[in-house]
Amino acid sequence: MNSYRKELWFDTTRRREFINITPQVEQCLVESGIQEGLLLCNAMHITASVFINDDESGLHQDFEAWLEKLAPEKPYAQYRHNGYEDNADAHLKRSVMGREVVVAVTEGKLDFGPWEQIFYGEFDGKRRKRVLVKIIGE
Ligand code: ZN
């Protein structure tokens, strides 16, 4: 069995952002040379997510509006976590959107269903943060 590990770094300009990272993840798979196995991709920060969904801008606006209803960023004082920080909403949004994805690797490709793409979801951005890609197989 072979294994591959890489960290992908992101530096968002906004507090919240969704980035399609499928091309970078596919590049990792090519570099790994693995044909059959499993690929794990996870956020390495507790205020960011990795998730799979459709790359459709209306849907991304819907996610933003829905998450703001569930866990509004402001007022900051509504959260007990916001003593020294102001990112309680980001922790909650990350929990809803998930930490990681696992994708089957078949014949050297990500074995996606229709329209599936991998996204990095940033909820407390404007600083460098990373995603782990781990691939095992042969
Ligand atoms: Zn925090």
Side-chain angles (χ1 to χ4, degrees), residues 60-93:
H60 295 180
Q61 291 169 45
D62 292 337
F63 272 130
E64 163 66 18
W66 178 63
L67 290 166
E68 267 299 287
K69 271 187 222 161
L70 284 175
E73 177 189 339
K74 296 170 183 168
Y76 295 123
Q78 73 188 302
Y79 299 107
R80 292 184 186 190
H81 179 68
N82 287 344
Y84 300 98
E85 291 186 292
D86 64 3
N87 65 2
D89 70 301
H91 289 274
L92 298 174
K93 286 166 175 142

Side-chain angles (χ1 to χ4, degrees), residues 20-112:
N20 186 339
I21 62 170
T22 311
Q24 292 99 310
V25 175
E26 284 174 335
Q27 184 56 39
C28 291
L29 183 54
V30 169
E31 283 173 21
S32 77
I34 291 172
Q35 294 292 304
E36 297 292 326
L38 290 172
L39 180 148
L40 166 76
C41 182
N42 67 268
M44 297 189 84
H45 301 266
I46 52 180
T47 52
S49 288
V50 172
F51 64 95
I52 289 180
N53 218 301
D54 192 358
D55 194 0
E56 197 279 305
S57 62
L59 179 65
H60 295 180
Q61 291 169 45
D62 292 337
F63 272 130
E64 163 66 18
W66 178 63
L67 290 166
E68 267 299 287
K69 271 187 222 161
L70 284 175
E73 177 189 339
K74 296 170 183 168
Y76 295 123
Q78 73 188 302
Y79 299 107
R80 292 184 186 190
H81 179 68
N82 287 344
Y84 300 98
E85 291 186 292
D86 64 3
N87 65 2
D89 70 301
H91 289 274
L92 298 174
K93 286 166 175 142
R94 178 268 167 93
S95 294
V96 168
M97 297 303 286
R99 171 182 180 266
E100 78 275 307
V101 300
V102 177
V103 183
V105 174
T106 304
E107 296 179 349
K109 298 245 174 0
L110 297 173
D111 205 339
F112 283 137

